[in-house]
Amino acid sequence: MPFYRNTFLLGNRHLYDTNHARAVQMRHVPTEAESIVWELVRANRLGVKFRRQQLIGEYIVDFYCLSHKLVIEIDGSVHDNPTQQSHDRQRDAWMTKNGYTVLRFTNEQVFDDLDGVRSTILQYVSPKHQGPLAREE
């Protein structure tokens, strides 16, 4: 994403450049679970386009669907750390405040229940879905 399109980082070109370089690097060395999920969502396989290692604000998200403002995070064991969990809660709160929906899956969910992961994502990207509350019909 060009600098001018990430309006959350306007005025902080250094932070944008640093995070962008990190996102590009992360695309080249995904975790095993991220690779599996990328194969699931890439090339409009679920009917919508996803980007990987996308900058949103000052954060880099694992996967992002622009049309639904849907963020998907794949959490490895580092997310079991209380400090990381606190950071994740702050990040998720920022995302929610700015209109994004965040889905988090553990590596174990990806490895052991990929169909369940797929079904959950599909609930959020189906044509009938207008937001988190629209699932209840």
Side-chain angles (χ1 to χ4, degrees):
M1 173 186 295
F3 173 67
Y4 66 90
R5 291 189 59 202
N6 193 333
T7 57
F8 294 109
L9 292 180
L10 283 175
N12 195 340
R13 181 63 188 232
H14 175 73
L15 180 60
Y16 172 82
D17 288 344
T18 301
N19 282 351
H20 181 263
R22 186 166 173 243
V24 169
Q25 179 184 21
M26 292 169 72
R27 283 182 207 128
H28 294 289
V29 289
T31 67
E32 183 180 358
E34 288 171 350
S35 292
I36 291 168
V37 173
W38 180 239
E39 286 303 312
L40 177 70
V41 302
R42 69 189 293 261
N44 294 321
R45 290 181 179 165
L46 298 182
V48 293
K49 180 179 179 174
F50 278 89
R51 299 173 180 175
R52 62 184 173 147
Q53 302 304 334
Q54 178 68 40
L55 280 174
I56 298 178
E58 64 182 61
Y59 301 107
I60 301 170
V61 301
D62 292 336
F63 304 99
Y64 177 56
C65 175
L66 177 66
S67 64
H68 288 72
K69 290 188 84 171
L70 177 65
V71 171
I72 299 173
E73 290 291 328
I74 308 303
D75 293 344
S77 60
V78 70
H79 294 271
D80 295 337
N81 176 299
T83 302
Q84 183 63 46
Q85 290 174 349
S86 175
H87 174 75
D88 290 344
R89 282 190 299 276
Q90 290 172 356
R91 172 186 166 124
D92 291 354
W94 184 92
M95 293 283 173
T96 301
K97 177 182 171 193
N98 286 284
Y100 299 92
T101 299
V102 179
L103 298 180
R104 287 188 172 274
F105 300 101
T106 64
N107 284 353
E108 290 74 23
Q109 286 176 292
V110 172
F111 298 142
D112 299 339
D113 187 20
L114 190 59
D115 286 339
V117 170
R118 181 180 189 276
S119 294
T120 300
I121 296 169
L122 281 171
Q123 288 176 12
Y124 284 84
V125 298
S126 69
K128 288 193 273 184
H129 187 266
Q130 301 298 318
L133 300 177
R135 286 190 333 249
E136 306 291 327
E137 294 190 86

